[in-house]
Amino acid sequence: MPTCLPTVLRRCPACASGRFRANGKFRVNAHHKLLDAWLLVLCTACGDTAKLTVLERTNVRSLHPGLLDRMHDNDPSLAAELLQDPALRRRNRVALDWDGAWRLDTGGPDHLDHEVLDVSVRFAARIPVRPARLIAEGCGLPRAEVERLIAEGKLVSAVRLSGRHSSDFTFTLKR
C-alpha cells in the first residue's frame, strides 16, 4: 500500500535535477467557459515549481462538479489518482519513482513457519514492484534465495515473477 505520493521523474529547467515531489496542490485557471488545470510539483533540489497538465481548455459543463471541488480543495488523494493515470503521465512526459513510497502489510509473522504457503497479494494502488522483491520482504528471505526457489520450481505463480507487476496475483511457496 502507498505511504506517500511517488517522486515524479522529469528534468528541471532551473537546475537540471531530475526529481520532483507532488504535494497535492492544484492550479485552476478559467477562460470564460473553458478551464485549464495543473498539478503542481516541486523540484527536490532547487524548489522550482513545475506544472503537470490535468485539463486543457475543457468546457466547465463537461466536468463532474466534484472533480472541480476536489481541485479547489487541493485534495491529495486526487493527486495520487491523477499521478497513476497513464494518459496524464504520457501527456506530460513524466515517469514515477515509487522507491520508499510504499509498504508491505503481511498480517504478521505467524504464517512463515508453514511448509506450504499459498499467498494472495492485493495492491491498494497500482504500484509497479518486482514480485521477487515483494516475496523476499514479505517472507523475510534474501532476494537471492527467492531467485533460487523460483529456479528450483518451489516458488510458482500464474504471473511472471521477474520484471515489474502492479496488479493482484497469487503464488505458492514450498519449503
Side-chain angles (χ1 to χ4, degrees):
M1 63 182 46
T3 58
C4 61
L5 293 174
T7 302
V8 176
L9 301 177
R10 173 184 176 169
R11 176 72 77 215
C12 177
C15 71
S17 170
R19 304 176 76 74
F20 285 81
R21 63 180 164 77
N23 57 1
K25 301 244 188 258
F26 291 90
R27 178 166 182 229
V28 180
N29 194 13
H31 305 279
H32 302 289
K33 295 180 184 178
L34 302 176
L35 284 179
D36 290 328
W38 300 276
L39 174 63
L40 302 178
V41 292
L42 301 172
C43 178
T44 58
C46 69
D48 194 40
T49 302
K51 300 184 290 187
L52 303 181
T53 302
V54 176
L55 301 172
E56 193 168 35
R57 302 290 185 199
T58 305
N59 193 313
V60 175
R61 293 185 187 267
S62 68
L63 288 179
H64 187 275
L67 176 66
L68 194 54
D69 290 339
R70 289 174 73 189
M71 283 186 197
H72 284 296
D73 294 339
N74 291 321
D75 185 2
S77 63
L78 176 61
E81 290 173 28
L82 292 172
L83 283 174
Q84 292 182 22
D85 181 17
L88 181 123
R89 291 195 315 261
R90 193 171 34 256
R91 179 180 342 142
N92 291 286
R93 295 185 183 111
V94 297
L96 300 179
D97 181 11
W98 284 94
D99 286 347
W102 62 275
R103 72 177 173 87
L104 180 64
D105 184 14
T106 61
D110 59 338
H111 63 280
L112 296 176
D113 58 349
H114 296 296
E115 198 63 32
V116 176
L117 287 175
D118 284 322
V119 179
S120 178
V121 178
R122 302 281 175 246
F123 286 82
R126 294 185 54 84
I127 301 171
V129 294
R130 297 184 188 285
R133 177 180 175 198
L134 197 74
I135 294 166
E137 281 190 33
C139 296
L141 299 170
R143 286 199 352 212
E145 176 73 10
V146 171
E147 297 295 334
R148 186 184 62 75
L149 290 169
I150 292 171
E152 291 176 357
K154 293 183 177 181
L155 180 57
V156 293
S157 177
V159 300
R160 192 180 68 177
L161 295 175
S162 60
R164 293 186 181 267
H165 201 67
S166 61
S167 59
D168 300 345
F169 67 95
T170 60
F171 68 89
T172 302
L173 173 63
K174 301 172 191 168
R175 295 190 186 228

